[in-house]
Every structure is written in C-alpha cells, then in structure tokens.
Amino acid sequence: MNVSLRDRLQVSNSILETIGDTPIVRLQHISSTSRVEVFAKLESFNPSGSVKARTSFNILQKAMEAGDLRKGDTVIESSSGNMAIGLAQACLVMGLKLIVVVDPKINKLTSQLLETYGATIEMVTEPLEEGGFLGARLAKVKELLKITKNSFWSNQYGNLDNPKTHYQTTKEIYEALNGRLDYLFVATSTCGTLMGCADYIKANHPNTKIIAVDAVGSVLFGGEAGTRKIPGHGAGVDSQFLDQGYIHDFVKVSDLECAVGCWELLEKESILAGGSSGAIIKAFQKYEDQIEEGSRCAFILSDGGSRYLDTIYNQEWLIKNIPGVYDALTPIGGWKIKPSFEFNVAIVGLGPKGLYGLERLLAQLKNKKVQEIVNIHLYNKNEYFGAGDVYRFDQPNYLKMNFTNQKIDIRSQKQPKSIVKLKSYTSWLSDSTGIDESLLKDQFSSRKMVGKYLCKSFEDLISSAPENIKIYQHHEEVVNITENEDVLQLETFLEGKSKKLVEVHNLLLTTGHAGNRSEILENKESISSNIDFVYPVEKKLTNIDSNSSVAIKGMGLTFIDAVLALTEGKGGSFSGECENMEYFASGNEPAVIYPYSRSGALMIPRVGEMPNVPELRFFTAEKLNEIRKNSAYKFDFSGELLSLIKKEFIYRYYSVAFRNSGEDIIENLSFSEILNEIENFHKKYPFEQRFSFEALKSPFIQYKSYDTSAVKHLLEKTLAQVSEGRKSPLLAAISAWHDISPIFNDLYSFGGLTARSHQIFDTEYFSFFNRISYGPPLENMYKILAILKAGILDFSYGKSPKIAQLPNGKFELKNSYSETSKKALTDYHIDARIPKMKLPEQSSLLYKNLFKEIKMQVFQNIDETGIYETGGMDLSKEGHPISKEGKELHNITIYGTPTEGVTFDNDTLSRSRNDFSSVWANGVVDHLNKIISNSKNIK
Ligand SMILES: Cc1cc2nc3c(=O)[nH]c(=O)nc-3n(C[C@H](O)[C@H](O)[C@H](O)COP(=O)(O)OP(=O)(O)OC[C@H]3O[C@@H](n4cnc5c(N)ncnc54)[C@H](O)[C@@H]3O)c2cc1C
C-alpha cells in the first residue's frame, strides 16, 4: 500500500476533503515504441468524478474567504458537464444554493445527477445568432445574477481561481514522479487546468514541455469553429486564460481519434475514461515521434467514462455520430451492430448542368424506391447554387440571354418524372411578374432573371427530396479528386485556407466554362491593365478609368457584355429604338474601345419571331445514314457535309425570299432546279439581296477594306435584315443551323469526323456557326451600333491585328494586313473570349490535378488522315473519363462544357443536348444496388 493511499484511508471530515491527491498510474501499453515512460493522473478519483471537483471547491472556498460568498447564498454557473456536478456537490456540503444554466445538449445522466444533488436547472432553448448556445447561456447567467438576491457567479471561464487550483494538481504529479517530468499533456477547454499547470511549470520546472490537446473544430489555436460531437476538450470561443507563450506545442484531435483513444485506453490499460482522456491518448501517439528517447510524459485524465456510456461507449451513438468509426475501432467484445449503408454522391459545379444532374438523380432515386441513406454533396465555387456563374443574380440587367424565354425550361422530357412539379421559365416568369405568359414567350430576359428561376427550381428540388436523401451544399472549390479503392476523395479549398477530404462513391463533374479557371489561382493575380476574364463584369471592369483607351479581344457575347459594362454600366444611357437608338455618354466610360478578333465580324443578333421555314431536306439523318457505310464510318466535313449544309442555307433563304415576293414555293424541286429558280428570281427581282454562304462566312470580302465604316455598314445592313423577323430570308438561312446542329452533333461526337476534317471544322467553322446562330438579342446589338455611332467603338484594328504589351504597361495595336504604319496605344487590354478547352495546360487546378491523379488523358482523333487533339479529354460514350491506361472510370461522369471536343456544342441551357446527366443518374442507382448486393453476397 503506498503512502498516499494510506493517507486517503485516514478519516476525512467532509467529502470535500477527499478532493485531490488523485492516483497516478504508469501506462504500459500506450506508447508504440516503449522509448518513453507514460503516466496518467486519474482525476476521476475526485469525489464528484472529475478534475472540476478541485476547481469548483477552490473557487467557492476562495470566494467565501474573501467574503464574496456566504452560507445560504446562490451560486450561478453556466455548465452542462463536470463543473456543474462539482459545484452541485460542493454547494450541498457548503450550504449554498446552485442554479446551473444548461442548454439542450446536456446529457440525461448529468441532468439527473444535478437534480439529485438538488441543483436548479435553467435551460436555454435557443442559441444566439452570434455566440451560439454558450452566448445564450452566459446571457442567462447575467440575467439570473440580476434577479437573484445574494447570488454569486463562480465563472469558470474568467475566475483566476480556476487556473490557480491546478498549481496543486501539477505539484502532485511532480511529487509522484520524484520531480522528473519532461512532457505534460493537458486538454484544453476553458484552459483553466492547462494554464494552471503551465504557470506552475514555468515557475518551478521550466524545462518541462506542456502540450495542449485541442479538438478539430476548436478555435483556441486558430482555425474555424466546427461541429464537435464529443464534449470535454476544445472550445468554440477564445479562452480568457490561454497564453500561448506558455505552451510548448498543441495537437488537434478529431472526434473519431478521440473515440479511438478512449477505447484503446480501455482495452490496453483497463481505464474507462472520458472524451478528453481519449483525445490525450491520441494526441500523445500523434506527437510521440517528436519526443526524445527516455523522456517522461504525464497526462491529466480529467474524468471517468461512466458519464459517457450513452455516447463514446454506446455503439449505436458512435455509428450514428462518428463517421468512419466502424472501421477505425472494435469495441471490446466486438461490434454488436453494423452501420447502415450510406451511399455518397457528389456533383461538382452547380450551374444549370449540375442542377439538371441533381434533378435526374432525385427522380431516379425516388422512382427506383431507394431506401438506403444517400448523401448528395453539392460543390459550387459561388453561392448561387443552380444558377452557377453565368446566371448569378447579382449581375446587371443589361446582361441578356441569347435565347428567347420559351426555350428556357428546367423540366426534363425524360422518364421518370421529377420529384416535384417544376415550372417552365415562362410560366414561372408570368407568376412572378403578373404578365400574360403568351406575351413573354418571344422576349429575351436578363441572365439574372433566369438565374432566379434556376435557383428557385433548385430550392424546390432540395426541399422535396425524400427523407433518406440528405443534401449538403458546400460553397467550396474542389481542387483534386483521388481514387482510394472503391471511393473517390474530394479535396477542397475554402476561402483559400482550409482543405478537407470527403469520400464519395460516385461523382458528376459539371464545372462549365469555369472548369478552365481556378478562383484560387485567380485570386492571386493582381488586378492589372491586362484583364483576362470579364466576369463578374462589375467587379472586373470597374477599375477601368474614364477617358482611357481599351482593346478588347473577341467579338462574341462576352465582348457585348464587356462593352455594355464599360458604357451603360458606367452610367451611360440609350434613348430611341432600333436604328434611331442613340447613346448618351456619362463621361465615365473609356474614350475609345478597339475591338478585334480573327475575322473582325460581329455576331448576328437574334429575334423572338423567326420565319416559318420548310423541314430540312438535304442534311437529314436518313440521307446521312445512306452515306454512312458502317458504324465505324467517319465523315469528311469539307468533302461530304459542308455542301449539304450550304444547300440547306440556300434552300431556306430562298423559301422565304420567294414567299415574300409572292413567288411559287420551291419545296418539291431538286437542288439544281432550285438553283435555276434562284437565277430566274434574281433576273426578275434584280434589287433583291443575293445569298452567299461564303459572304456570310467572310462578310468583309464584299468590302474594299476593313475599317470602322465597313463594320458599321455591315452591322446596319444585318440589323435591318434581322429586324424583318418572320420575313427575314437571312434568319431563315441561319435557322438551318439550329436544326442541323443536333444531327451534326451525332456525327461529330466521339471522333465521328475524320481527324483532318474535325480539325478544319473546329478551327474554321465552329466559331462561324456560333457567330451567326447564337448572337445576342437584337436590342443589345442596336446598343452596340449606337455606341459605335457615338464614336466610342473604333474598328480600325478589328481584324487580326498584331498586339504587344510595351514595357510601360500599355498595349500597341497594329494592323497586320495593311501596309500603313498606323498604330494605336491602349491603356487596357481585355480578353473577352470564352476560350476553348486546352487540357491539361490551360485548366483549373482541378483539371490539372485530374490529369495527374486519375491519369485522365486528352482526346485524340486518330485515323489515316492524321492525329487531331481537340484540347478536351478522352471520354466513353457514357461520359466517363478514360485513363492513360485505357481504364474507363465508371464512378466519374462529365457533363456539359468540359466534354467539349469529344462532343459538340454543349454550351447551352439545353436539357437534351449530350444529356450525360440522365445516363449518370441511372448509373448511380445501379452502382448503389451493386454495392448492396455485393455486401449481401459477402455475408
Ligand atoms: C457570358 C455567357 C453568356 C451565355 N449566355 C447564354 C445564353 O444566353 N443562353 C444559353 O443557352 N447559354 C448561354 N451561355 C452558355 C452557358 O455556359 C450555358 O448556358 C450554361 O451556363 C452551362 O451550364 P454549366 O452548368 O455547364 O456551366 P456553368 O453555368 O458555368 O456552371 C458551372 C459551375 O461550376 C462551378 N465550378 C467550376 N469549377 C468548380 C470547382 N472546381 N469546384 C466547385 N465548383 C466549380 C462554377 O462556379 C459554376 O457555378 C453563356 C455563357 C457565357 C459564358
């Protein structure tokens, strides 16, 4: 029998006299190497079962000695744990009343104990918006102190008698270890125990290193506050005691590690201890490598495990609350229950395509009556889930759709039906504005308004998800995806700081254009005179000075957005309509804007009312199937397809031109007969505009030189033609591409064109078809004309100029095609193109990493005509990436713009074009069922 035990067997005059002098035990099996000695001080031997017996008694005793507290007074404290129980016992002995302020997280056993000791429990039910439950409890304490006569706040968070209590605790350790201790591990919380030990050590044994054991999700040593399931260590608010200068180091321990530590202590040392003790065990093991051989380490184990029988030592609780626990530990006697299977899915990128994927997945899960828990993790770089970058609703109204309202519809035409009755855009808009739906159909909306519709549809979907489907929204950028056996690990950055890994079984990548850009990389870029991406326009373009000169690369939709942001967005205004529209400068816009592109041609705008046109006749699926000799057949774009496309343009143009002139329709004629009729038509109507596909493609061949007046003339002419709406032969011709493009997509996809002609299409025709078919609404193009007429737009260098940045930061524009030495200097350069994919070099961190980690490879179209790399990635017909080893990654599906190159023209709001989302949703349910049936077979 040792001395202190004999002491303890002496008669004490009160239970409070038995506080302290707790046993210290050598732990024989906790160190993995036996290089160091390990001792544990068991504070559960205190009469109220924890180290807080010391704190509570000392605070009360000191207050009584100081006359701040008298017998019969009321002690008030905020605590849901050991401090409350310590106080309850001490108050009972000392003739004091006790009110304990708790929150709903208090465990049943603690509240039973408090009631049994006769303490009054005051429960706060609502957390404060700022300060949470702790804030609410402290507010309640203050309120009670005011209304309770002769009351005293023991204040474990700020009363200096809290840390001072532990000079004695620490002294006892040195006494037991004959004054030799190298490391002391103490759990954080109020930091009273930690700082008491630290003060004592600094004064008496400065060579001992004190290691604070903190929780993942605690803010004490920095980092964001996070959910912590196991109480006892860590804190969500700063400590009033902590002085990091006294602490040698700290170790953070997760809930899972903490639970594992508790069970290890039980199994290896037969010590049933509380949560913070398990945290210390794990912290020591994590830190052990840094501890010098032969060192002596001691732990303060704050409490015992009996109050944790419902949590850490309860198998059901563990499985429900601590992810991964089933694999990480085995309770003594083995697991009596198994975790119910949970299937984890992620969608990375929550623009329209991610939203479509979510809609299909929910429909499939419901239709197939999936009962298992399915966790759907949604990741998006911005907070506009459903709208993404293009339709975020903090953008200005002048950024318009290039689709009429009637074409916008989140609803899928496919089975199974959606889990909720979603609305078409026009029906939603009509409900929101009170305007009759029929009047809205042919209108163009702002992208912001469409974003509101998309977000509303997103909210309707997630709020109607079945009970077993849990949806988690993460406003984070995914930067890497790695394979770990059968799961995928997602690595994210949050506000450029923390990173975490989430494991999922299956994943949909719908990162859109932004897939090529990384916010993380972008944020590092300083704002300079070279602006390489214009969105969000208000943020990116506001720094451009008034009266400066600006060069803009690209003449597509983004160019229009940028010009409007630099004019209307800077206070300029328009009056009048169509060709009479005038621009009134605000004085804040640049003095001159020099647009330029490869062709120098502006987009052809769109109108709501398109002409009635005949069906396709030459470029039909049937006709193409006749050409296609077998399923492996590759089409030669220039040799086989282009002439058919031209025929459709000509046929449609003249169908409307003939109809306008009251001539006979040409629908049943052969193409050579049609050409004859066209010649006759022009003889009869010599002033009618003649259609030329070549002139549509290279419009300036008709002009002597390329300059601002040529651009203005062509723009005025095009706008007049498009304004004819239903009567416009030009629009009729262009409409051919709208109908051809789905058929063409089938021919183009997965290397359906010969390699050489694939390249020709991508480099020479892709942007041409975009320019004529997907232009802005007419109104925005009239705005461009008005700005041009106001002298702000100057096209002198509009066609393939040479551009260079000078040492002084300015940009020099020079015409490459003219002999003149004319040149212009600009203060800014804006890249207003949406670049085509060029993987892996020009891509976001995520795609760069995907090429490394899961070994994605670029798509190559290879045949006897050559090898063509599109810049996109290699994909299977179901949208799964194919690795360098030729492996199809079935648990990843890519949908939307990132499939560009392998497929064609995914860059729209269309639900039907290259719809990998439906295939994916179906595949996810199959994947889930496969895992379940495999696990049944194993049993
Ligand atoms: C300026 C502009 C105007 C357009 N106008 C029209 C139009 O009028 N009509 C039309 O049909 N189409 C238009 N488009 C095409 C448009 O791209 C599609 O309509 C549509 O936005 C494509 O949807 P998406 O979900 O594939 O991509 P996006 O809408 O780009 O959405 C992708 C989302 O993924 C997020 N993301 C990307 N990388 C990550 C990552 N690593 N981690 C987490 N999140 C990530 C992005 O932040 C974004 O929210 C326009 C495109 C642009 C650029």
Side-chain angles (χ1 to χ4, degrees):
M1 192 180 293
N2 65 32
V3 177
S4 62
L5 188 53
R6 194 175 307 124
D7 284 349
R8 202 171 297 127
L9 289 179
Q10 286 172 1
V11 174
S12 301
N13 292 321
S14 135
I15 187 73
L16 298 181
E17 275 186 23
T18 70
I19 292 174
D21 205 8
T22 49
I24 190 155
V25 177
R26 182 189 290 276
L27 301 184
Q28 312 259 16
H29 310 285
I30 292 302
S31 162
S32 54
T33 60
S34 313
R35 288 165 53 249
V36 297
E37 288 182 284
V38 183
F39 300 91
K41 186 158 179 66
L42 304 183
E43 287 300 297
S44 57
F45 277 68
N46 281 307
S48 64
S50 82
V51 71
K52 290 291 168 86
R54 297 176 188 259
T55 321
S56 49
F57 177 49
N58 189 42
I59 287 177
L60 298 185
Q61 197 181 35
K62 289 281 161 4
M64 281 197 150
E65 282 166 16
D68 295 336
L69 182 65
R70 283 177 206 85
K71 210 170 172 178
D73 285 357
T74 304
V75 176
I76 301 177
E77 183 58 286
S78 149
S79 165
S80 293
N82 289 330
M83 182 70 185
I85 298 167
L87 283 171
Q89 185 180 53
C91 284
L92 196 59
V93 176
M94 296 166 93
L96 298 162
K97 291 182 219 124
L98 174 67
I99 305 176
V100 188
V101 182
V102 303
D103 63 43
K105 289 191 269 180
I106 187 169
N107 77 35
K108 207 169 143 214
L109 192 70
T110 307
S111 63
Q112 278 173 338
L113 274 169
L114 290 174
E115 272 168 9
T116 311
Y117 274 117
T120 305
I121 298 179
E122 276 281 346
M123 169 94 70
V124 294
T125 49
E126 294 292 327
L128 289 189
E129 220 163 81
E130 270 183 35
F133 271 119
L134 178 60
R137 287 195 331 230
L138 292 176
K140 187 74 188 173
V141 165
K142 285 179 188 150
E143 184 192 320
L144 288 170
L145 286 168
K146 268 194 208 142
I147 57 170
T148 312
K149 252 177 137 187
N150 300 329
S151 55
F152 169 78
W153 181 20
S154 43
N155 189 8
Q156 59 164 331
Y157 304 100
N159 190 328
L160 289 176
D161 288 327
N162 174 353
K164 280 184 191 157
T165 309
H166 301 290
Y167 295 179
Q168 172 61 22
T169 318
T170 325
K171 197 165 156 232
E172 289 171 20
I173 298 173
Y174 282 97
E175 278 172 11
L177 300 178
N178 299 323
R180 221 205 96 204
L181 177 65
D182 301 298
Y183 285 87
L184 180 64
F185 284 72
V186 186
T188 60
S189 174
T190 64
C191 293
T193 313
L194 178 72
M195 288 315 296
C197 296
D199 283 344
Y200 180 87
I201 285 174
K202 185 156 191 268
N204 301 291
H205 300 275
N207 291 333
T208 304
K209 291 168 183 154
I210 187 150
I211 310 294
V213 176
D214 200 19
V216 170
S218 158
V219 299
L220 292 170
F221 289 89
E224 305 260 314
T227 324
R228 290 173 293 126
K229 289 281 171 60
I230 299 181
H233 61 299
V237 292
D238 288 335
S239 156
Q240 294 181 38
F241 302 128
L242 180 62
D243 179 345
Q244 292 194 28
Y246 282 40
I247 309 299
H248 175 71
D249 213 342
F250 69 94
V251 185
K252 287 204 178 211
V253 177
S254 69
D255 282 339
L256 177 62
E257 290 170 325
C258 179
V260 172
C262 284
W263 278 96
E264 211 175 315
L265 190 59
L266 181 61
E267 195 180 2
K268 294 184 172 165
E269 306 284 354
S270 305
I271 296 173
L272 182 76
S276 62
S277 304
I280 290 182
I281 299 302
K282 268 295 144 201
F284 164 74
Q285 290 172 342
K286 284 165 85 167
Y287 200 76
E288 197 177 349
D289 282 354
Q290 300 179 48
I291 299 177
E292 307 78 25
E293 183 150 10
S295 294
R296 245 182 191 187
C297 307
F299 309 155
I300 296 181
L301 304 189
S302 297
D303 60 357
S306 46
R307 276 203 298 280
Y308 300 82
L309 290 177
D310 283 345
T311 55
I312 300 169
Y313 300 104
N314 177 307
Q315 299 198 1
E316 233 170 81
W317 184 91
L318 280 176
I319 282 176
K320 204 162 157 219
N321 290 282
I322 312 289
V325 75
Y326 189 77
D327 296 323
L329 67 86
T330 307
I332 297 171
W335 284 102
K336 308 237 166 3
I337 51 165
K338 270 188 124 190
S340 58
F341 173 68
E342 293 191 12
F343 191 73
N344 298 316
V345 188
I347 302 180
V348 178
L350 251 292
K353 301 278 157 135
L355 173 62
Y356 301 164
L358 176 68
E359 187 275 329
R360 281 297 80 202
L361 179 60
L362 292 173
Q364 284 290 1
L365 291 169
K366 188 169 178 200
N367 180 54
K368 302 242 173 94
K369 300 192 171 53
V370 169
Q371 301 296 319
E372 284 70 28
I373 302 260
V374 179
N375 300 307
I376 307 179
H377 293 274
L378 306 177
Y379 289 91
N380 201 40
K381 282 200 295 188
N382 67 39
E383 65 267 45
Y384 302 94
F385 282 71
D389 290 327
V390 177
Y391 306 99
R392 50 192 289 171
F393 41 87
D394 61 344
Q395 53 186 329
N397 283 323
Y398 54 78
L399 301 183
K400 290 267 187 314
M401 293 297 298
N402 67 350
F403 267 15
T404 50
N405 292 340
Q406 60 189 320
K407 300 230 170 96
I408 305 166
D409 200 340
I410 150 92
R411 297 172 304 168
S412 171
Q413 298 305 314
K414 295 199 172 144
Q415 290 300 327
K417 64 179 189 341
S418 188
I419 59 159
V420 67
K421 209 167 174 329
L422 295 165
K423 290 192 166 158
S424 70
Y425 178 61
T426 46
S427 143
W428 172 83
L429 192 60
S430 171
D431 289 352
S432 321
T433 58
I435 300 171
D436 193 86
E437 204 177 333
S438 62
L439 299 174
L440 294 167
K441 283 191 166 31
D442 286 334
Q443 305 284 316
F444 289 87
S445 288
S446 63
R447 294 209 291 272
K448 165 186 184 162
M449 188 57 104
V450 173
K452 288 188 178 164
Y453 162 68
L454 293 167
C455 283
K456 172 73 174 71
S457 307
F458 172 77
E459 275 155 24
D460 287 350
L461 277 171
I462 57 168
S463 60
S464 310
E467 278 264 294
N468 60 319
I469 319 272
K470 315 256 182 263
I471 300 179
Y472 303 88
Q473 285 172 245
H474 308 271
H475 174 190
E476 288 164 55
E477 178 172 351
V478 174
V479 290
N480 199 5
I481 298 167
T482 45
E483 281 185 295
N484 184 7
E485 295 183 358
D486 292 338
V487 292
L488 299 163
Q489 291 183 321
L490 269 65
E491 193 181 310
T492 63
F493 269 79
L494 179 60
E495 290 165 4
K497 279 191 272 165
S498 46
K499 92 180 167 188
K500 61 179 187 188
L501 290 173
V502 170
E503 287 192 344
V504 297
H505 296 94
N506 207 303
L507 169 89
L508 181 68
L509 266 183
T510 40
T511 52
H513 283 293
N516 295 338
R517 320 189 61 82
S518 170
E519 224 123 85
I520 294 162
L521 297 180
E522 264 170 35
N523 285 343
K524 285 189 189 147
E525 289 169 12
S526 58
I527 297 166
S528 71
S529 52
N530 196 7
I531 297 159
D532 76 345
F533 190 64
V534 305
Y535 299 105
V537 286
E538 284 176 314
K539 189 172 144 204
K540 291 290 183 73
L541 303 182
T542 42
N543 285 341
I544 296 207
D545 307 317
S546 45
N547 286 322
S548 55
S549 54
V550 181
I552 302 188
K553 182 176 193 173
M555 292 198 198
L557 291 174
T558 310
F559 154 76
I560 291 162
D561 290 351
V563 171
L564 292 180
L566 292 173
T567 50
E568 193 172 355
K570 283 183 168 269
S573 59
F574 297 90
S575 84
E577 281 193 5
C578 304
E579 64 274 15
N580 298 321
M581 191 186 278
E582 268 187 85
Y583 178 68
F584 294 96
S586 67
N588 296 325
E589 52 278 272
V592 60
I593 299 172
Y594 297 104
Y596 75 94
S597 72
R598 207 152 65 106
S599 72
L602 288 163
M603 293 191 98
I604 296 185
R606 298 229 238 179
V607 288
E609 297 194 329
M610 292 290 279
N612 270 334
V613 284
E615 299 274 294
L616 295 178
R617 275 189 58 195
F618 308 98
F619 197 98
T620 62
E622 296 74 41
K623 291 242 157 79
L624 292 157
N625 272 337
E626 282 168 24
I627 304 175
R628 193 200 305 258
K629 301 189 175 67
N630 53 52
S631 59
Y633 187 75
K634 288 185 160 208
F635 285 89
D636 179 339
F637 174 73
S638 317
E640 290 171 308
L641 304 179
L642 186 57
S643 59
L644 301 178
I645 294 170
K646 285 182 187 174
K647 282 180 183 172
E648 295 290 7
F649 272 68
I650 294 169
Y651 172 52
R652 286 210 171 169
Y653 183 94
Y654 284 101
S655 296
V656 172
F658 280 31
R659 190 168 62 216
N660 288 346
S661 306
E663 293 296 318
D664 286 346
I665 28 176
I666 48 176
E667 281 176 25
N668 296 320
L669 305 181
S670 68
F671 192 68
S672 57
E673 288 167 336
I674 291 173
L675 289 181
N676 282 337
E677 288 302 313
I678 291 171
E679 286 316 309
N680 293 337
F681 174 80
H682 281 296
K683 276 186 202 139
K684 193 168 167 190
Y685 303 101
F687 297 109
E688 279 295 330
Q689 174 78 34
R690 189 178 268 277
F691 178 75
S692 152
F693 188 87
E694 282 65 34
L696 188 62
K697 184 160 181 293
S698 312
F700 295 104
I701 51 175
Q702 311 158 69
Y703 292 83
K704 265 203 221 103
S705 62
Y706 179 93
D707 54 21
T708 305
S709 74
V711 174
K712 178 169 169 277
H713 181 265
L714 178 66
L715 182 56
E716 282 172 332
K717 189 172 129 193
T718 309
L719 291 176
Q721 284 176 299
V722 171
S723 301
E724 290 172 359
R726 287 191 195 285
K727 292 196 147 204
S728 167
L730 178 66
L731 284 181
I734 287 169
S735 76
W737 184 248
H738 295 154
D739 295 340
I740 289 171
S741 119
I743 307 170
F744 179 74
N745 172 58
D746 288 344
L747 307 182
Y748 174 102
S749 298
F750 301 101
L753 301 183
T754 60
R756 175 84 189 103
S757 76
H758 189 172
Q759 184 168 17
I760 291 174
F761 176 80
D762 279 2
T763 48
E764 292 178 30
Y765 288 87
F766 182 87
S767 55
F768 157 62
F769 286 120
N770 253 346
R771 178 171 67 74
I772 62 167
S773 309
Y774 304 120
L778 191 58
E779 185 199 353
N780 274 5
M781 216 53 182
Y782 271 119
K783 285 185 176 177
I784 295 294
L785 179 62
I787 296 166
L788 190 160
K789 285 188 200 159
I792 296 173
L793 282 170
D794 185 331
F795 286 85
S796 305
Y797 306 91
K799 198 172 168 206
S800 310
K802 283 186 186 143
I803 178 129
Q805 187 165 18
L806 305 177
N808 63 3
K810 297 203 185 246
F811 298 85
E812 185 185 76
L813 279 167
K814 255 202 282 189
N815 272 332
S816 52
Y817 57 88
S818 94
E819 294 301 306
T820 66
S821 56
K822 209 177 149 199
K823 53 185 169 188
L825 285 185
T826 71
D827 305 306
Y828 294 94
H829 180 263
I830 297 173
D831 192 339
R833 295 166 312 154
I834 300 295
K836 289 197 73 174
M837 285 223 291
K838 197 166 183 317
L839 293 170
E841 305 94 53
Q842 288 169 23
S843 59
S844 68
L845 218 46
L846 172 61
Y847 286 92
K848 279 202 172 77
N849 282 331
L850 285 178
F851 270 81
K852 267 192 252 143
E853 290 290 345
I854 60 167
K855 301 192 174 57
M856 279 196 333
Q857 63 173 347
V858 290
F859 170 67
Q860 289 186 318
N861 188 352
I862 308 178
D863 56 32
E864 61 287 354
T865 66
I867 300 176
Y868 172 51
E869 285 189 3
T870 60
M873 68 201 87
D874 199 5
L875 292 177
S876 73
K877 297 237 156 116
E878 289 74 36
H880 306 311
I882 298 172
S883 75
K884 285 196 183 89
E885 290 107 24
K887 189 175 124 197
E888 189 174 332
L889 303 164
H890 290 103
N891 49 358
I892 301 180
T893 302
I894 305 188
Y895 173 38
T897 321
T899 68
E900 183 180 286
V902 177
T903 61
F904 169 67
D905 197 12
N906 303 298
D907 190 15
T908 78
L909 268 181
S910 163
R911 281 225 59 164
S912 53
R913 182 59 69 91
N914 299 316
D915 178 16
F916 293 118
S917 72
S918 297
V919 186
W920 170 71
N922 211 357
V924 168
V925 180
D926 290 346
H927 186 179
L928 190 159
N929 287 333
K930 201 167 145 197
I931 294 183
I932 294 169
S933 82
N934 281 352
S935 71
K936 280 184 188 146
N937 291 341
I938 291 165
K939 271 189 227 158

